[in-house]
């Protein structure tokens, strides 16, 4: 098995396809060499060696010989010899894993320098100050990385020396100063290790290689891998490469360039450079780098590379073009000019903003550099999310006072309020608020509508607050268990801080951050390119994308974002308006069928109007309206003041209301009297809702609109429950058609949100025309996890590796997914035309969307602001199914 | 298609196998005729005709001809002619469905009598009074059944006539009286129908046949069928049979006999008879019937048939023997002696008490009349239940003041108490109590232990009260929503009654009845025969039968009833004793690991003692002990007084306790932080429990006992949860073995009580050694029904036919059963040796046990008092699988 791969002078043992074996950096060095680019010669020790080294705790047999042999090739290409006092070859030793892990592992430069070779360097015409500085740097890096000596000891000596010499910059020190420092540095080393600093270049080289391999298992690298889900057994490669110097006089330089603008995505060459400097100087920010070209140079300012070294610049432009065509992606290039010679030290995929990412891929499609499929695969759903919502400015520092669950993306600031009434009051004064609640209930809806963002102490990402906030496209952090709210004194505690009503806070709903004060934000930016990308997605995707929307406004937004219908229109939120909650309460408190019908008669016209506006917005597109779902007691007043008011208003005793509340209360409301379990004992409720839907339909058809209503029955566990409700709905449809003299098409289907519904899908599909998976509830019952209570369990479970992620966020394929597959298979067996979708929160989560595509659903439905993400994810699912991969992005 | 089946004089078209076609009564008449028994000739119109008649609303073509033809055969056998004024044939017209529906459908006797034929009867030597009485009876029955005239009108006339004549008995009326009455009866008919009473015998016959067919769809028959789950399309047959008369002078008689004693099951001929009487006279109770033989006659008393008609008696004895051998079951025979000739009018399976049922089948096995398998199939689980618990005396009348769910069988009476403390206080005074609660919680356990029975207003049959009561073998009625308890005033309301503390009530736990006052009871009666039957069951059954037991006492009872191990020993009930609840609360309130360990150290010795006593009782048998399952907050005090006491006792602030209660409280506790979700964050709890189990094991092994502990982890949804807990248990096992120097065998398994556990059983089975289906919880999550709240939904669902039964009582094969099958299939795929059982309440329900057998479980586990039932049901399952059926019992 080959262990070491040589590259140099247009010849390379490896290429870009060997990323797994040679690491990302190494593979690209080999590839660029093959492309004839000026890459300093070197060799790569493979990741397999790293794995073997980790296992057997020593180098595999034969490695030494291969390293010696390849170093000879480098010497030959470079025309210098390693350890030669006359004309010494110096090398860098760098790590390079399959994926970039910036700053995680170690690098050692100038390996091969010692008392003898440094003289050779000087004799070959180098500036003595430069040569000794190089030796000093070697000792410092090697001391730190290989020997484990704190770099501060070296830095302190350097600072003292500059003070002694009365100079500010390193470059002002003389060769003598460096020689003195080298002596001091070596003392530090021998004091620490009880040994002299190794002067043998080979000892240096092997020490450096070992240090790089060992760095794969250092603490920060392990943590990084855990964070980014990188397998421990990938290992790192080691790149040993001839040194070139940008800090070698006025014809030397160093720089970093992007083949396109990484902030905007514009197709212009973009970068920075420094004359007579080393690569780290550009990064470290000690000197301010200069723009790479005239275009980038704003009017006056420091000279550009284009002006100072026009030939080199042209050569770079050529390389830019070649690399972009070759890699068909925006590249991040490191280069060094050593005494007039351009060297390329690295190329890799350039990091970019979300805005740039979208622009780049769309441009590249137009430039025919990449296909639409490639463009789609390269954009992450997070990119889309970023572009749709204002975000915390990443350049600003702030203190996070608490972390909750990221429930609805976007950043928002405002005054803390603890009641929906206060949020409304502030809004009326033109002031911004953040509504802070233990948890929210449908009664809080008005306040939720007017605040800037919502923060709750309890609840998971499918809690009421989260669902409603996403529907409104409003930032929201939930389950922030580290704060403790004191409603009575209108304050909350976070760590040692007390935040009072009126204090300003900022929340980051995409990350779960809570910050004291007003943090600057980057605003949302949908562009023409963004829309174009989503047009590509639509050409590729097979899943339909619908929205969960229950107001005309959210229906309008959904449609604008490209929703192809409404997958879930909840009817219960409509019941909370001032004009209707009273009738709803009358309905619930009714003792007789007559009383109840009387209350329902009042609700009919308002529900009809609600449906009419939504159906009108969505004309030509299907709209699934779900019949009443939540337990009735949710509509009853909670506090004693409210009970009193209601009693007075309705002219009944407080006791009667209290009794009804007790009667309706349940020990486990999630498993209680809700969904179709309301419409079965009280058929008149279903009847009223069906009538409202169908009368709205008829009236819009009379306006010559094409209306496609679909009625959905919730919480079905047994086919007969569905049949019971469908019979009512069908009968009302007939009556309404007759009344209006209008024929319309409609369908009746059901939520599949209980395990039993999935298991008996064959029976339900005998009469149901569509299934919509309610994966929030399905996840609750499949796991036996209450979404309201999971916050206490989940973090510990993820820590202990019991669950990989929150199953309410990303679908649990092993359990819930199995039930979904069973339901689809059984449902389609009975009715091959059955339309199947998902309307749980997973409908907007990319991994879950991919799953929905794979199992053959017809559509996903998600909150309006996630529709673009869902379109992209649905297209990615198609491409991945064909073998496409975005693994290396 | 043959419509009419003749029988008479040893020749019959049908036989007993044609029960579906000829009805039970008809098929047996055919069969007895074939056996050469003296059955009056007749014919049966098949149930197919009934179905066709119901569908097409008229008689099928050809029926008339077949009836005429068959009636001719009857005339020929009987030597009389239908409608012949000289020697008239009279017939009875009776219904007879596939199963007996006593009193549900109609009968008409003496069809064929009119002004002419009655004279023929008299001329052929009959007593004129008898002949005219027959005609009078025909008009009365026909008027009622066919014409729909209230029988009271006829009765009133008869009473008036007797008054007029100054006599008391019908038999004292003369022929003239009867003729006068016949005139009056006919007037009633013509007044009501505006037509004369039909004098044409054929019109009478067809009218009677139609009336019988129509009676299949009368209201009370439909209700009866719904109650006993009899399909509407079975239809009834009609039996037309030559009349014979037991009221035809001093050589005539009528009687009913059982081939064995139906009350005790003793193998003696048992029956009653009346001289010169009709069958209905025996049943109606106007005259007191006489014993059939000398053995039955107690010392003095009315003469027996054996004495009065010794030849007939011998003939009957012969028939008894023949029928029992032929049907191999105890028979209920109706006979008539007409002028010295014995006629058999009916034979059918004799109804019997549970006690008799068991004795009869065991005796019949010993007599080699039936096989053990037949014996097993013939006993219903309800029979067993009756024999194990005292029951309300069926002969006593009482008023039911409320009905609840039958949660634990047996009848009990006592003073009403509303608190467990009062129950304990009464017990100390030697008084009996019925504990009446809204619902019970583990804190009530002491009171539940000492009362006679438990009644709760809320909760289903798997609620806490129900589960605990069954474990204690104590009568219990739950979910009695029609009472309303007022704790404050120590009373409850039922209908218009107020029942106060101290009032005596009786509950029937097998039926759900609540009765005011002390109702006499029939005591439980296990017998030698009972044990023998269960020995037969053990020879046949394949399922193991274990018990759910968590005290030494219930372990002892289980073993006595034949349990082959403990399938579920809950550990949480043990936490409520006076000596330990304090340590439990300390554990829960602990802020640090150290505090918690300190509390657990106090619990370890008491838990160890608990386990030791149970394991000792069950030596040589496996005992599954489940680690802690319920949410921790259940252990915290509920009322403010209790909080105060606890705070004082523990020297912490009340606020701290209240805060902890709030912190631990959950919106849906059933889906919350329980089961292994306790042992994962607090491994020290699992550790303590494992240590207690294994130390108890070691100490008993040192006493030379064979102990087989099995540790069960509850509420697993994901294999890694189980692995986490198993690791702790295994480690403790190693430690304990080392400490004691004792090696022991043990297994670790899990409950399968969440859909996800069943769906991912393949993964869980990689490390689990056994599965135990927790079907209570699995039913909750599969249906999304809370067992605590289902009481409000279920009755309506059963009424509407949405569910056929309570899925918490009888396993839902379509949904929960599917998951069970999936779990077994996937689990065994990974680990073919996996031991699989059930420990939910379904483990004691016969239909569910049959299901468990069919799907290949290894054992079922149920409450101790259901072990005998489970043994029987498990044996029945095996026999039914081979094609055995107890459908017609």
């Amino acid at each position: 098995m080959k262990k070491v791969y040589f590259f140099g002078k247009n010849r390379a043992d490896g290429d870009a396809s060997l990323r797994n074996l040679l690491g990302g950096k190494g593979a690209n060095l080999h590839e660029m060499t093959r492309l004839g680019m000026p890459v300093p010669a070197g060799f790569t020790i493979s990741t397999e060696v790293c794995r073997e080294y980790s296992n057997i705790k020593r180098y595999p047999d034969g490695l030494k010989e291969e390293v010696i042999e390849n170093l000879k090739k480098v010497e030959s290409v470079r025309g210098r010899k390693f350890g030669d006092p006359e004309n010494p070859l110096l090398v860098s030793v760098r790590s390079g894993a399959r994926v970039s892990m910036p700053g995680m592992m170690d690098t050692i430069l100038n390996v091969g320098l010692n008392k003898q070779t440094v003289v050779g360097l000087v004799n070959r015409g180098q500036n003595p100050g430069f040569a000794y500085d190089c030796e000093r740097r070697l000792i410092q890096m090697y001391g730190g990385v290989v020997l484990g000596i704190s770099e501060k000891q070296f830095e302190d000596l350097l600072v003292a020396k500059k003070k002694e010499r009365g100079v500010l910059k390193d470059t002002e020190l003389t060769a003598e100063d460096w020689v003195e420092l080298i002596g001091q540095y070596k003392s530090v080393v021998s004091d620490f290790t009880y040994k002299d600093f190794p002067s043998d270049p080979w000892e240096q080289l092997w020490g450096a290689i070992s240090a790089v391999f060992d760095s794969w298992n250092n603490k920060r690298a392990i943590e990084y891998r855990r964070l980014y889900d990188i397998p421990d057994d990938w290992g790192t490669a080691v790149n040993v490469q001839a040194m070139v110097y940008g800090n070698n006089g006025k014809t030397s330089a160093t720089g970093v360039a992007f083949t396109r603008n990484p902030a905007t995505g514009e197709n212009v060459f973009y970068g920075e450079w420094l004359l007579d400097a080393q690569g780290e100087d550009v990064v470290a920010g000690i000197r301010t780098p200069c723009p790479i070209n005239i275009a980038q140079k704003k009017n006056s300012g420091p000279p550009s590379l284009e002006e100072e070294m026009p030939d080199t610049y042209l050569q770079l432009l050529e390389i830019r073009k070649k690399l972009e065509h070759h890699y068909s992606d925006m590249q991040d290039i490191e280069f060094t000019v050593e005494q007039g010679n351009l060297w390329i030290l690295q190329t890799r995929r350039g990091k970019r903003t979300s805005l740039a990412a979208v622009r780049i891929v769309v441009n590249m499609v137009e430039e025919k550099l990449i296909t639409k499929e490639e463009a789609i695969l390269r954009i992450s759903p997070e990119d889309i999310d970023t572009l749709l919502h204002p975000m915390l400015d990443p350049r600003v520092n702030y203190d996070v006072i608490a972390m909750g669950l990221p429930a609805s993306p976007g950043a928002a600031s405002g005054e803390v309020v603890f009641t929906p009434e206060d949020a409304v009051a502030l809004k009326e004064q033109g002031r911004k608020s953040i509504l802070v609640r233990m948890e929210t209930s449908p009664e809080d809806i008005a306040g939720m509508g007017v605040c800037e963002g919502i923060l709750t102490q309890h609840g998971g990402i499918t809690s009421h607050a989260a669902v409603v906030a996403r529907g409104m496209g409003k930032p929201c952090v939930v389950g922030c268990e580290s704060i403790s709210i004191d409603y009575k004194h209108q304050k909350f505690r976070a760590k040692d801080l007390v935040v009072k009503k009126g204090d300003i806070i900022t929340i980051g709903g995409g990350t779960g951050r809570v910050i004291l004060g007003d943090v600057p934000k980057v605003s949302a930016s949908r562009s023409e390119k963004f829309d174009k990308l989503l047009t590509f997605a639509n050409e590729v995707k097979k899943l339909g994308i619908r929205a969960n929307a229950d107001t005309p406004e959210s229906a309008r937004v959904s449609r604008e974002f490209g929703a192809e219908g409404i997958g879930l229109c909840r009817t219960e939120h409509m019941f909370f308006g001032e004009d209707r909650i009273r009738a709803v309460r009358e309905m619930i408190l009714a003792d007789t069928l007559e009383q109840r019908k009387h209350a329902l008669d009042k609700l009919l016209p308002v529900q009809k109007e609600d449906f009419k506006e939504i159906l009108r917005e969505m004309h030509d597109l299907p709209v699934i309206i779900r019949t009443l779902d939540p337990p009735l007691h949710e509509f009853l007043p909670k506090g004693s003041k409210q009970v009193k008011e209601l009693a007075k208003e309705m002219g009944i005793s407080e006791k009667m209301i209290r009794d009804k509340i007790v009667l309706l209360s349940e020990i486990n409301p999630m498993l209680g009297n809700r969904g179709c379990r309301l419409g079965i004992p009280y058929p008149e409720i279903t009847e009223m809702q069906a009538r409202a839907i169908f009368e709205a339909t008829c009236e819009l058809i009379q306006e010559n609109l094409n209306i496609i209503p679909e009625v959905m029955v919730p919480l079905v566990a047994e086919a007969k429950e569905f049949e019971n409700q469908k019979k009512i709905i069908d009968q009302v449809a007939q009556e309404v058609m007759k009344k209006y003299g209008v024929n319309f098409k409609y369908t009746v289907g059901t939520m599949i949100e209980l395990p039993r519904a999935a298991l008996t899908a064959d029976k339900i599909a005998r009469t149901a025309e569509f299934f919509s998976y309610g994966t929030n509830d399905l996840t609750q019952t499949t796991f036996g996890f209450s979404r309201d209570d999971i916050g206490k369990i989940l973090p510990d479970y993820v820590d202990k590796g019991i669950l990989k992620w929150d199953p309410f966020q990303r679908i649990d394929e092993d359990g819930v997914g199995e039930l979904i597959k069973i339901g689809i298979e059984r449902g389609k067996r009975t009715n091959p035309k059955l339309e199947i979708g998902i309307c749980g929160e997973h409908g907007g989560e990319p991994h879950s969307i991919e799953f929905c595509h794979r199992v053959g659903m017809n559509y996903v439905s998600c909150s309006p602001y996630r529709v673009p993400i869902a379109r992209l994810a649905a297209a990615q699912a198609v491409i991945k199914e064909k073998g496409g991969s975005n693994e290396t992005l």
Side-chain angles (χ1 to χ4, degrees), chain A residues 621-665:
Chain A
L621 296 175
V623 176
I624 294 185
I625 299 176
R626 180 175 72 182
T627 54
L628 195 63
D629 187 48
L632 291 180
H633 72 84
E634 279 199 7
F635 296 104
L636 290 174
K638 302 250 148 48
S640 64
K641 197 179 142 201
Q642 283 179 298
V643 170
K644 202 166 190 163
E645 278 171 14
L646 181 65
K648 204 174 154 190
E649 202 179 276
M650 298 188 55
I652 56 176
S653 74
E654 282 178 52
K655 187 172 179 302
M656 195 187 142
I657 295 175
R658 272 185 228 287
D659 285 353
K660 198 84 182 186
I661 292 174
V662 169
L663 192 72
L664 289 174
S665 76

Side-chain angles (χ1 to χ4, degrees), chain A residues 14-25:
Chain A
D15 61 33
S17 70
L18 297 183
R19 172 185 283 269
N20 293 357
L21 190 66
L22 306 179
K25 183 190 196 79

